[in-house]
Amino acid sequence: MSDVVEKTLTALPSLLSLDSQPGAAKLSSTSKLGQLIRSITELTSKHEEEKLIHRELESIKEQVSSPNTSMRQMKELMVRAIYCEMLGYETSFSYIHAIKLAQQGTALEKRVGYLTVSLFLNETHELLVLLVNTVLKDLQSTNLIEVCMALTAVSQMFPKDMIPAILPLVEDKLNHPKEIIRRKAVLALYKFYMIAPNQVQHIHNKFRKALCDKDPGVMTASLHIYLRIIQENPEGYKDLTASFVTILKQVVGGKLPMDFNYHSVPAPWLQIQLLRILSVLGKNDQSTSEIMYEVLGESLRRAELNHNITYAILFECVKCIYTVHPKSDLLEKAAKCIGNFVLSPKINLKYLGLKALTYVVQQDPKLALQHQMTIIECLDHPDLIIKRETLELLFRITNAQNVTVIVEKMLEFLCISKDDYMTTDLVGKVAELAEKYLFEYAPDNEWFIETMNTVFSVGGDMMEPDIPNSFLKLLSEGFDSVEEDRKLRLFAVDSYISLLQGEPGKLPQHFLQVISWVLGEYSHLREEIEPAAVLKLLAKLLDLKKTNSETKSWVLMAVMKICDGGAGISVAQEISEIYSNSLDTVLRQKAQELQQLSQNPELRARVLPRHTGLEPLEVDSSLSFLDGFVSEALASGAAPYKPPHQRQEELAHTKALSLEPYGLSLPISLSSCSISDRQSPTLLSMSSGLSGDSNDVSHKESSATLKLDGVKRVWGREGYLAQRDPVEEAAQVEVPSPIRSPIQQGEADDSHSQTATPAPTPECKQEKQQLASSLFVGLASHSPVCLMGKSEPNLSQRFRQKAKGSVSSPKATDQTPNSLVSAPIVVDNYLSDNLLDPITSELTLSSPKQTLSQAPTNANGTCDEAFAGSDTKGKESFLIRGSGVPVPDEDEEPGGREDLCLSSYLPAEHTGLPHSEITPLCSDQSLDLSACHVEEEESLGLILFIHNSSHSDIQQILLEFDTNELEVSCVLDGLVQEVRSHSVAVCQYSLTVKKPSVHVEVVGMVSYQFPAGTPQSVSFSYKLPLTSFIRPLTVSTEEYGKMWLTFSNDTKQNLTLISDGLESLRATLSALKKKLPIHVVEIIGVEGIVACRLLPDQPCLIHCRVHAGTLAVWLRSRVPDLPDCLVYYCQRALLEH
């Protein structure tokens, strides 16, 4: 790196020099910039600097406005403006002149103009639209420098609204003869993919061409795109695994030019990028992982130089080895590498080792046992970052046997931590551990309440709000045992009363709110304490100066619940009199309520009844009682309700740029009919509407002119962004009843040492060994405990209520899937042109046969043997239902899988309906899972076939689904708890899309158990196109027009016509109708309207118009992402035709 810095410093004076003469090696003493810098360095105060800069800005402003200023002088003025802007002074007057400088002048002057614009303007700036024509002109220039400057500006500043205007020109640059142009074009497309992926879906084949480019720089740039798209859809790019492996082999073997070496390491950043891609492709896929085993071992072997960049390669290589399907010898090498990091005396390497150990400890818990003493020493390390990463590692290995010791160490660190981020993070981790192991560990209620008290005290007001809310929910809902509920609540009441009797002024506001709620709800359980005594303690909180209005409202609410005759009423009356005249509206309302309820016990008993915390509340979430009012308001002309996110999107679109070309003028016969810009497309023409505002829903049919009253002339894509409130500085609090550690931590050394700590005394060493035995208990391979990172299915929520009749967590198994293994594919040259054709490429992995013995990886699903303790947060669990009655296969011989015909097991009600091919999802030695989907008129059904291929019955079958895109619901009732030997069980589910995307995926896990065996589980995934959830929508032209005006989420795109001529629109719509489930409402001349719906009832309207040899489509829907997804399928359908 030193040689790079040296070259940069050497070239810096010539870059700053405004003297255009060749050979100028230093900043000209006569240049205005040099004089400005010299003047600023001689100043002695900030006030003098401000006066100097203001005079300079006035001079610059006067000169840029002068018509006699030459381009060379303008260049110098822009450089001086950049320097003033860098010092923090506003130079907005120069922005427009920077754009002008980029539009004209010599290459050097345009270079300064583009530099100034890139530094001054962001993606949402209103002046950026003035740069579009300049960029378009420079992209078509024959001057390489101008093309490079335009591509750089595109990748830095252009928002997604401007992408359609420049995308074709950027695509053409992928074929440019100069490699620097091709590389910059790839980087520009990478920027486009990040901000608007749907607009570059059609050029994925060109990404493959960039991967095959003969220049390594272009190929390296394409890896950024591939890493992104592979992370989103790894199944679609499995065929490129061998290509990435071949590239990595050539890089590791030193086949690239020496220019790509860094400290004798061949292309280290390219290696890191390839390792990240391979880890995504090989995850849970044995056949794909086997292709990369050899190159992973070679990467570990060659990264032997003692340099930071080789350590980075080793770290990524270790992560990749532990992510792909495991191989024993590679795991041993990776474990040895982690050990070298952890045992290193250098702080950076030790941190890297702890980071890697934290990542891999879930796959190999025994690895932490090998370095337990080193981890214990890291707890006392003087470097706080090492301490924090060590606590993160301990959090990952927490189980029911070591939770108390780990919580103690975390609380010790919290008491000395002064970093807000670390405090917030650790507070959340301690709360999660306390709640997760409240039932498993089941110590006494004292441990849980005291731990949460420490969390509330140390975390203060910086903790996440869901922590106290979930804690109160747990106390309210209780557990299975009434006696346990009473004990927990009683201890909480006793603890909080003792805290209020001490110094409550030092407690955080969130903690005071928790105390107020608990005492208001459960202080009556402690019968020996008078309500008046509790009221006086709460009244003390109202008198504290630090108590804010929100906390006071919590206290007043608690007083309402407690006051019950006698002295309590007098205390409540005094409080209500004090706050009945408060300036705070909420406090004044609470005081009035308190006054009324304290005087009327019967009313208080009805409004605030006790012993009703466990009764379910019926909530009308649809607010159906307002239907009559809403109907009357709509009939009177009121606007329909729009949710907040829709209003935000409309505001953003209102200020967005429309880059669609204007349509042709109206025919003479229609010129007398002046049509509003936002008029429905079902009327005479949409020639003006294609370029108008797509979100203004005001429309009056009687209007004969275009109404522009109240339209803001403000440029910008996102509009004004909400400002985040600054985080208030946390006050110092006293920790009540902290949990003491059995082993006192030594004083931390303030200095950051790069050497190992001194050897401990025998007594200290013995204490550390005892601590290690407490921390790392339960990590042996034979132990049945479950680590924190692998939570059980019945403990998936934060602050869980004990599940009644819950299924026991199955034990983790370590079995190898019984699957077909594809042979490794060898590619001699990563520049092979076969990548350009994904259909006929030799790199495409052979597709498996449609049998139950198929490999876990196939077109629609993936499968892997999963630990039963894997995280199932947010999953839906189903026992096998419906038609899942065991169906014995009389014709099949035991052990035979080959000739099993699953189509015969389709439910009778689905035999006449269209359905997909039955796709094997996953299999192991005993169970095979297959699936298909059935397209019904009003729903999409998912049929799962569970085949028991073993000689024993399978019991306790549980299906769990984990997907954020779909809602999975069981169709039929009736439980099936077992599947007999060599039988098939059929399950039916109904799928509904919650968030549209191009492809939706059903991800889940099936767990089962033999009568005399250990629990086992297999995970699976099933991918469906969004078109499976689309149905034609039959509407009239009038209904179409009314709906069009009410939808605000829209997308515009130009598509390719199938044929030329008068019938091109009809032919194109017919082709779309064959490929997609749409309904053509009407075709009038060169315009057509189409309708469809997303199940169950989300319409999407499409307006089509033939213009300039293309099909301009405009899609609208009330669902935000639906138009973009349908545009993708329309493009794909026309390309396949």
Side-chain angles (χ1 to χ4, degrees):
M1 190 67 185
S2 59
D3 54 344
V4 178
V5 175
E6 183 179 355
K7 292 180 180 179
T8 304
L9 294 177
T10 304
L12 187 59
S14 61
L15 291 175
L16 291 176
S17 175
L18 298 172
D19 188 0
S20 60
Q21 297 297 326
K26 62 179 181 179
L27 193 64
S28 176
S29 59
T30 60
S31 69
K32 296 295 183 65
L33 178 62
Q35 295 176 5
L36 175 62
I37 297 175
R38 193 173 297 105
S39 301
I40 292 177
T41 56
E42 294 173 355
L43 298 178
T44 58
S45 66
K46 181 67 175 177
H47 179 66
E48 293 178 355
E49 177 189 307
E50 291 178 354
K51 292 176 61 178
L52 176 62
I53 295 299
H54 286 156
R55 288 199 305 267
E56 181 71 17
L57 291 179
E58 289 296 330
S59 174
I60 295 175
K61 187 174 184 181
E62 181 180 355
Q63 294 182 57
V64 297
S65 302
S66 174
N68 299 324
T69 304
S70 64
M71 288 291 103
R72 186 164 181 259
Q73 293 173 337
M74 187 67 70
K75 179 189 68 173
E76 180 185 4
L77 293 173
M78 289 300 104
V79 174
R80 288 157 58 190
I82 291 175
Y83 189 78
C84 294
E85 183 96 3
M86 290 169 58
L87 292 178
Y89 299 92
E90 184 182 5
T91 60
S92 57
F93 65 87
S94 64
Y95 295 175
I96 186 65
H97 299 284
I99 295 177
K100 291 180 180 179
L101 187 61
Q103 293 174 346
Q104 53 192 345
T106 62
L108 182 58
E109 293 161 357
K110 290 175 68 69
R111 177 184 178 188
V112 174
Y114 272 117
L115 173 63
T116 309
V117 170
S118 63
L119 293 175
F120 285 169
L121 306 184
N122 54 37
E123 292 182 354
T124 61
H125 202 280
E126 57 191 17
L127 293 180
L128 196 59
V129 68
L130 302 178
L131 198 65
V132 175
N133 285 334
T134 304
V135 171
L136 290 175
K137 182 184 69 174
D138 289 342
L139 285 176
Q140 302 175 33
S141 173
T142 57
N143 191 327
L144 296 181
I145 298 178
E146 293 181 354
V147 177
C148 288
M149 290 188 293
L151 289 174
T152 303
V154 163
S155 59
Q156 288 183 351
M157 296 179 295
F158 271 42
K160 67 177 183 180
D161 294 336
M162 298 182 181
I163 291 178
I166 58 176
L167 182 58
L169 294 176
V170 177
E171 289 183 43
D172 293 340
K173 301 307 173 189
L174 293 175
N175 300 321
H176 200 277
K178 290 295 183 180
E179 59 274 4
I180 186 174
I181 303 297
R182 299 198 301 272
R183 182 167 68 247
K184 288 183 176 291
V186 170
L187 294 176
L189 291 175
Y190 173 57
K191 171 67 178 300
F192 295 166
Y193 186 85
M194 287 194 298
I195 63 177
N198 291 327
Q199 298 191 23
V200 293
Q201 292 281 355
H202 61 287
I203 57 175
H204 279 196
N205 283 341
K206 295 186 179 180
F207 294 160
R208 295 190 176 225
K209 184 175 182 180
L211 183 64
C212 305
D213 197 278
K214 60 183 180 180
D215 182 72
V218 180
M219 179 268 297
T220 304
S222 69
L223 294 181
H224 296 285
I225 302 178
Y226 272 103
L227 178 60
R228 185 98 175 192
I229 61 180
I230 288 175
Q231 287 174 343
E232 297 174 357
N233 180 26
E235 293 300 320
Y237 298 90
K238 296 281 187 178
D239 58 320
L240 294 179
T241 304
S243 299
F244 292 124
V245 169
T246 305
I247 296 174
L248 184 56
K249 283 182 180 179
Q250 297 190 14
V251 173
V252 173
K255 301 296 181 62
L256 296 186
M258 294 294 293
D259 295 340
F260 290 87
N261 288 7
Y262 177 73
H263 284 271
S264 302
V265 180
W269 287 277
L270 177 56
Q271 293 189 50
I272 292 174
Q273 198 82 333
L274 288 169
L275 288 171
R276 291 174 179 173
I277 292 175
L278 292 179
S279 63
V280 178
L281 290 173
K283 186 177 182 180
N284 303 327
D285 191 336
Q286 181 178 356
S287 59
T288 304
S289 300
E290 288 179 349
I291 302 175
M292 59 185 74
Y293 286 157
E294 180 183 353
V295 71
L296 290 179
E298 186 69 13
S299 298
L300 276 179
R301 186 182 66 83
R302 287 182 177 268
E304 297 174 351
L305 295 176
N306 293 327
H307 194 273
N308 286 338
I309 194 63
T310 59
Y311 301 146
I313 296 174
L314 287 174
F315 178 74
E316 290 294 336
C317 198
V318 167
K319 287 179 61 178
C320 182
I321 289 173
Y322 275 93
T323 302
V324 302
H325 193 275
K327 185 180 181 183
S328 57
D329 57 340
L330 284 179
L331 293 178
E332 292 177 1
K333 295 178 181 179
K336 182 179 178 181
C337 181
I338 293 176
N340 294 336
F341 284 156
V342 173
L343 298 175
S344 174
K346 297 181 180 180
I347 291 181
N348 290 337
L349 295 187
K350 189 179 292 292
Y351 172 80
L352 203 62
L354 292 173
K355 195 80 174 176
L357 198 57
T358 303
Y359 180 82
V360 306
V361 72
Q362 299 302 326
Q363 288 81 10
D364 189 6
K366 293 183 293 183
L367 192 58
L369 290 174
Q370 300 175 12
H371 306 287
Q372 52 183 326
M373 294 310 300
T374 305
I375 296 173
I376 295 300
E377 292 176 357
C378 290
L379 285 173
D380 299 328
H381 201 281
D383 192 285
L384 293 180
I385 304 299
I386 297 294
K387 275 187 178 180
R388 186 182 68 180
E389 194 59 38
T390 306
L391 292 175
E392 177 69 24
L393 173 60
L394 294 180
F395 173 76
R396 297 290 181 182
I397 64 173
T398 305
N399 55 60
Q401 301 179 27
N402 61 8
V403 59
T404 52
V405 183
I406 291 179
V407 167
E408 287 175 2
K409 303 303 292 184
M410 288 185 173
L411 292 178
E412 287 179 6
F413 186 79
L414 272 176
C415 295
I416 63 174
S417 174
K418 300 185 183 300
D419 184 81
D420 292 346
Y421 170 77
M422 296 173 65
T423 300
T424 304
D425 184 56
L426 271 183
V427 160
K429 285 183 169 59
V430 173
E432 188 174 353
L433 291 177
E435 66 202 30
K436 175 178 174 65
Y437 294 103
L438 172 61
F439 313 116
E440 280 192 23
Y441 173 66
D444 46 45
N445 296 320
E446 179 179 355
W447 177 83
F448 175 70
I449 295 297
E450 288 186 352
T451 300
M452 295 307 299
N453 288 351
T454 309
V455 167
F456 293 144
S457 301
V458 178
D461 298 327
M462 295 183 297
M463 73 174 68
E464 297 293 335
D466 64 329
I467 295 178
N469 293 341
S470 301
F471 173 72
L472 297 180
K473 182 181 178 183
L474 182 143
L475 289 180
S476 175
E477 293 181 351
F479 317 128
D480 292 342
S481 172
V482 178
E483 185 62 26
E484 288 294 328
D485 295 346
R486 180 180 177 83
K487 288 181 180 180
L488 181 64
R489 293 163 181 167
L490 274 176
F491 188 83
V493 170
D494 295 341
S495 174
Y496 296 154
I497 289 179
S498 63
L499 287 176
L500 293 183
Q501 291 173 348
E503 297 183 4
K506 296 183 179 181
L507 300 177
Q509 297 299 309
H510 283 321
F511 197 9
L512 293 178
Q513 295 169 12
V514 170
I515 291 175
S516 302
W517 188 90
V518 172
L519 293 182
E521 289 286 337
Y522 305 116
S523 61
H524 66 276
L525 297 177
R526 184 61 69 186
E527 299 176 355
E528 57 269 21
I529 299 179
E530 294 293 333
V534 180
L535 288 176
K536 292 179 180 178
L537 292 176
L538 292 174
K540 288 172 55 180
L541 298 180
L542 296 173
D543 298 333
L544 296 176
K545 294 183 179 180
K546 294 184 178 180
T547 306
N548 57 27
S549 298
E550 183 181 1
T551 303
K552 288 181 180 180
S553 65
W554 283 69
V555 174
L556 290 176
M557 194 66 195
V559 172
M560 293 184 205
K561 301 175 184 178
I562 297 176
C563 65
D564 190 9
I569 295 181
S570 61
V571 177
Q573 290 290 341
E574 294 177 2
I575 295 175
S576 62
E577 291 177 0
I578 295 174
Y579 289 95
S580 59
N581 297 323
S582 174
L583 297 178
D584 190 301
T585 307
V586 177
L587 294 181
R588 190 163 63 249
Q589 177 184 349
K590 295 289 184 184
Q592 295 293 337
E593 294 173 356
L594 175 60
Q595 185 176 8
Q596 296 295 329
L597 294 178
S598 61
Q599 295 175 356
N600 193 340
E602 296 181 358
L603 177 62
R604 189 182 65 83
R606 292 200 308 269
V607 175
L608 300 172
R610 288 180 179 173
H611 311 294
T612 58
L614 300 180
E615 295 181 2
L617 299 177
E618 295 184 2
V619 179
D620 186 3
S621 59
S622 63
L623 303 179
S624 58
F625 57 88
L626 293 176
D627 289 348
F629 172 77
V630 173
S631 300
E632 294 177 1
L634 292 176
S636 301
Y641 170 75
K642 296 178 182 178
H645 68 86
Q646 184 176 345
R647 293 197 294 271
Q648 287 277 15
E649 292 173 357
E650 290 184 2
L651 178 63
H653 282 289
T654 300
K655 300 182 178 184
L657 299 175
S658 178
L659 298 177
E660 290 290 337
Y662 288 102
L664 301 175
S665 59
L666 290 174
I668 299 176
S669 60
L670 300 178
S671 60
S672 60
C673 302
S674 180
I675 301 174
S676 175
D677 185 61
R678 258 308 268 117
Q679 203 153 348
S680 169
T682 59
L683 299 181
L684 297 178
S685 178
M686 279 297 298
S687 57
S688 61
L690 280 175
S691 60
D693 189 354
S694 63
N695 295 283
D696 182 12
V697 297
S698 59
H699 168 62
K700 297 181 180 179
E701 295 181 0
S702 61
S703 175
T705 59
L706 187 63
K707 302 295 184 183
L708 295 177
D709 297 338
V711 177
K712 294 183 178 181
R713 298 183 180 275
V714 179
W715 293 100
R717 180 175 64 90
E718 297 290 346
Y720 297 102
L721 299 177
Q723 299 293 330
R724 294 185 178 179
D725 297 333
V727 181
E728 298 180 359
E729 183 177 356
Q732 298 293 332
V733 297
E734 178 180 324
V735 181
S737 49
I739 298 180
R740 301 292 182 183
S741 172
I743 301 175
Q744 298 296 331
Q745 181 180 355
E747 296 183 356
D749 188 6
D750 293 335
S751 62
H752 289 209
S753 174
Q754 290 285 342
T755 59
T757 55
T761 61
E763 294 79 4
C764 181
K765 185 176 182 180
Q766 184 177 3
E767 289 180 354
K768 289 185 177 181
Q769 290 177 349
Q770 293 176 357
L771 179 59
S773 63
S774 302
L775 287 175
F776 298 94
V777 63
L779 295 186
S781 58
H782 61 274
S783 177
V785 299
C786 180
L787 298 184
M788 183 61 198
K790 299 183 178 181
S791 56
E792 295 82 358
N794 61 337
L795 294 175
S796 59
Q797 304 180 34
R798 174 177 278 260
F799 283 115
R800 289 155 292 276
Q801 181 180 359
K802 277 190 177 178
K804 298 180 181 180
S806 60
V807 181
S808 59
S809 174
K811 185 178 179 181
T813 59
D814 189 13
Q815 298 180 351
T816 303
N818 180 20
S819 60
L820 296 178
V821 180
S822 301
I825 302 173
V826 180
V827 179
D828 296 331
N829 192 346
Y830 70 86
L831 304 177
S832 171
D833 292 334
N834 292 335
L835 287 175
L836 304 181
D837 188 2
I839 301 176
T840 61
S841 174
E842 297 177 0
L843 303 178
T844 305
L845 296 178
S846 58
S847 11
K849 298 179 181 179
Q850 299 293 333
T851 62
L852 285 175
S853 60
Q854 166 189 4
T857 303
N858 48 64
N860 286 325
T862 60
C863 162
D864 64 295
E865 288 282 345
F867 287 103
S870 60
D871 188 7
T872 57
K873 189 173 182 180
K875 293 184 179 179
E876 303 179 41
S877 302
F878 300 99
L879 289 173
I880 309 305
R881 298 174 179 269
S883 58
V885 179
V887 183
D889 189 3
E890 299 177 355
D891 299 331
E892 183 186 14
E893 297 181 359
R897 304 187 189 184
E898 302 297 336
D899 300 327
L900 182 63
C901 181
L902 293 178
S903 58
S904 61
Y905 295 111
L906 273 175
E909 62 270 19
H910 293 150
T911 53
L913 298 175
H915 63 83
S916 64
E917 294 184 359
I918 299 178
T919 305
L921 300 184
C922 58
S923 63
D924 60 9
Q925 297 178 355
S926 307
L927 180 141
D928 301 305
L929 185 66
S930 303
C932 70
H933 58 272
V934 180
E935 297 184 3
E936 304 179 31
E937 182 65 26
E938 298 298 330
S939 64
L940 183 72
L942 177 65
I943 313 296
L944 294 180
F945 303 88
I946 301 180
H947 175 221
N948 180 6
S949 58
S950 65
H951 298 280
S952 303
D953 296 346
I954 293 179
Q955 300 177 348
Q956 299 183 11
I957 303 177
L958 180 67
L959 270 172
E960 297 172 323
F961 295 92
D962 181 15
T963 176
N964 296 325
E965 300 174 340
L966 293 172
E967 180 179 348
V968 185
S969 57
C970 195
V971 175
L972 300 176
D973 294 329
L975 302 179
V976 172
Q977 299 181 355
E978 65 176 6
V979 179
R980 298 188 178 277
S981 173
H982 302 291
S983 301
V984 177
V986 182
C987 319
Q988 301 183 52
Y989 298 94
S990 177
L991 304 180
T992 304
V993 175
K994 295 189 292 186
K995 181 180 180 182
S997 60
V998 175
H999 294 91
V1000 293
E1001 190 171 12
V1002 182
V1003 181
M1005 182 174 66
V1006 55
S1007 57
Y1008 62 94
Q1009 185 175 357
F1010 290 103
T1014 58
Q1016 302 183 36
S1017 62
V1018 182
S1019 61
F1020 63 90
S1021 65
Y1022 185 73
K1023 185 173 296 184
L1024 303 95
L1026 184 65
T1027 51
S1028 301
F1029 299 88
I1030 301 296
R1031 299 290 182 271
L1033 177 61
T1034 304
V1035 293
S1036 64
T1037 305
E1038 291 75 14
E1039 293 172 338
Y1040 183 99
K1042 293 179 181 178
M1043 286 192 296
W1044 181 271
L1045 297 175
T1046 60
F1047 296 161
S1048 59
N1049 300 290
D1050 61 353
T1051 296
K1052 300 177 183 178
Q1053 188 70 34
N1054 291 330
L1055 303 180
T1056 305
L1057 289 170
I1058 289 181
S1059 62
D1060 299 331
L1062 299 177
E1063 297 297 325
S1064 58
L1065 175 60
R1066 192 175 301 274
T1068 304
L1069 293 183
S1070 299
L1072 288 176
K1073 189 174 181 180
K1074 292 179 181 179
K1075 295 284 186 178
L1076 303 177
I1078 58 176
H1079 170 66
V1080 179
V1081 181
E1082 189 174 0
I1083 298 177
I1084 305 177
V1086 296
E1087 299 185 18
I1089 52 177
V1090 180
C1092 61
R1093 62 186 174 97
L1094 175 68
L1095 293 176
D1097 55 355
Q1098 299 293 342
C1100 184
L1101 307 180
I1102 308 175
H1103 175 263
C1104 308
R1105 179 171 177 267
V1106 178
H1107 172 68
T1110 61
L1111 181 66
V1113 293
W1114 187 0
L1115 293 87
R1116 282 198 167 192
S1117 175
R1118 66 168 62 99
V1119 183
D1121 297 329
L1122 183 56
D1124 290 333
C1125 297
L1126 287 180
V1127 164
Y1128 165 75
Y1129 279 107
C1130 290
Q1131 292 174 337
R1132 181 177 173 182
L1134 294 179
L1135 289 175
E1136 293 176 354
H1137 188 272

